[in-house]
Amino acid sequence: MRSAFFLDGAAGRILCVGDIQSNGSQPQSAALIVAPFGEEMNKSRHVLAALVRRLADAGYAVLLPDLYGTGDSEGDFSDATLAIWRSDIDKAIEALNASVPIDLIGLRAGALLAADAVSRHTVRSLNLLHPIADGRQQLTQLLRLRLAGGLLGGEQKETAAELKQRLADGETLEIAGYGISSTLAADLETLALGNMSLGNVQTVNWVELAPEADRPLMPVSQRLVDAWREEGLAIEAAVVACDQFWATQEIAQCPGIVDKVLEFITG
């Protein structure tokens, strides 16, 4: 039965949406979905909820957790650290049936966290949905958001270098309503898909969004996909025609990404 419930995390209760009983029957597979954070999470929630429903209907035990300090879970975002989020992800995987194959699905920054979890868990497939390939890229985007907000508000001009120094000095920066601590900023900079060991995953599926489905992958994505293939990693890649719903002004639907994930992981 699909429901919302709390798991006890290391730093606070974790709200999870999903179905761990697979409609009351023994699930044959399990999936964990890792969302991005901040405003991208808010804009993505309806698409990820649709993915939860489709996976549950397909007989999956599936969970979509709000990591510590995000969504409706306990904790303040400014206190979040990579260690806490790793613990929350491990707790959610533990709540799924460990005796069946598990597929990890991550969107944007959630893809970085899902890939990071592969080093701690044996995974059937890792599904990277328009991933942020490097945590430094995520941090840069956050700082640009802060700079743009300052310009619009007519506040004293800041520079990216100044903001990075303030983080390095231990300050927490307010960005679009979220407190980015120096610890979390430093944590993000340690995450990069190209540096991660994916030896515990059988297949990797990469899904990118573009205005037309016949567009190629972005060059930075293609380089990473090619490098993984050269290393012998089984990887499939696809482009789905869809708005980048995590960044649109209005709530945008994207049934294509849900269909593609189901196609990849259910065969």
Side-chain angles (χ1 to χ4, degrees):
M1 181 178 67
R2 270 161 260 165
S3 60
F5 56 92
F6 284 97
L7 294 175
D8 290 326
R13 294 192 304 162
I14 312 160
L15 181 75
C16 293
V17 174
D19 181 354
I20 58 176
Q21 296 299 321
S22 186
N23 295 322
S25 60
Q26 178 64 29
Q28 300 301 308
S29 300
L32 179 73
I33 303 171
V34 186
F37 59 79
E39 192 60 19
E40 288 196 0
M41 180 184 192
N42 297 330
K43 292 287 183 63
S44 303
R45 188 173 290 280
H46 63 297
V47 173
L48 297 182
L51 185 54
V52 168
R53 291 193 295 273
R54 287 285 300 278
L55 286 166
D57 290 344
Y60 271 70
V62 54
L63 283 182
L64 169 61
D66 290 351
L67 302 182
Y68 176 85
T70 71
D72 292 315
S73 285
E74 292 184 342
D76 191 280
F77 187 86
S78 61
D79 296 324
T81 66
L82 180 57
I84 294 174
W85 284 353
R86 280 173 170 158
S87 176
D88 287 353
I89 289 170
D90 293 348
K91 189 72 177 180
I93 290 176
E94 181 183 319
L96 293 164
N97 190 331
S99 65
V100 300
I102 184 165
D103 300 291
L104 295 185
I105 303 163
L107 173 68
R108 306 285 293 148
L112 269 176
L113 297 173
D116 174 73
V118 168
S119 66
R120 307 188 301 279
H121 302 275
T122 298
V123 176
R124 179 170 59 183
S125 75
L126 172 65
N127 300 271
L128 305 172
L129 311 185
H130 210 99
I132 290 177
D134 193 314
R136 290 172 297 182
Q137 176 190 351
Q138 172 79 84
L139 184 59
T140 297
Q141 289 181 1
L142 290 171
L143 295 181
R144 286 175 178 166
L145 195 59
R146 159 98 177 200
L147 295 174
L151 290 174
L152 290 174
E155 299 171 2
Q156 185 175 0
K157 188 175 180 180
E158 299 173 311
T159 67
E162 290 170 351
L163 295 177
K164 286 185 177 180
Q165 186 58 54
R166 289 167 62 182
L167 286 170
D169 292 340
E171 188 174 339
T172 294
L173 298 180
E174 190 76 12
I175 300 177
Y178 298 89
I180 307 296
S181 71
S182 58
T183 301
L184 183 60
D187 286 346
L188 288 174
E189 291 189 301
T190 68
L191 295 176
L193 291 179
N195 297 334
M196 292 181 184
S197 173
L198 300 181
N200 288 339
V201 63
Q202 294 178 23
T203 61
V204 175
N205 300 312
W206 185 295
V207 183
E208 204 161 274
L209 304 190
E212 296 88 23
D214 58 356
R215 291 275 187 94
L217 292 180
M218 292 186 293
V220 64
S221 304
Q222 190 64 60
R223 285 194 293 273
L224 186 52
V225 168
D226 290 344
W228 279 345
R229 283 179 175 149
E230 289 176 5
E231 294 171 2
L233 192 65
I235 179 167
E236 297 289 338
V239 175
V240 170
C242 184
D243 290 331
Q244 295 184 358
F245 51 85
W246 56 85
T248 55
Q249 284 292 99
E250 303 295 330
I251 296 298
Q253 304 293 330
C254 187
I257 198 170
V258 176
D259 291 343
K260 182 55 69 175
V261 172
L262 266 292
E263 176 188 325
F264 271 142
I265 69 175
T266 65

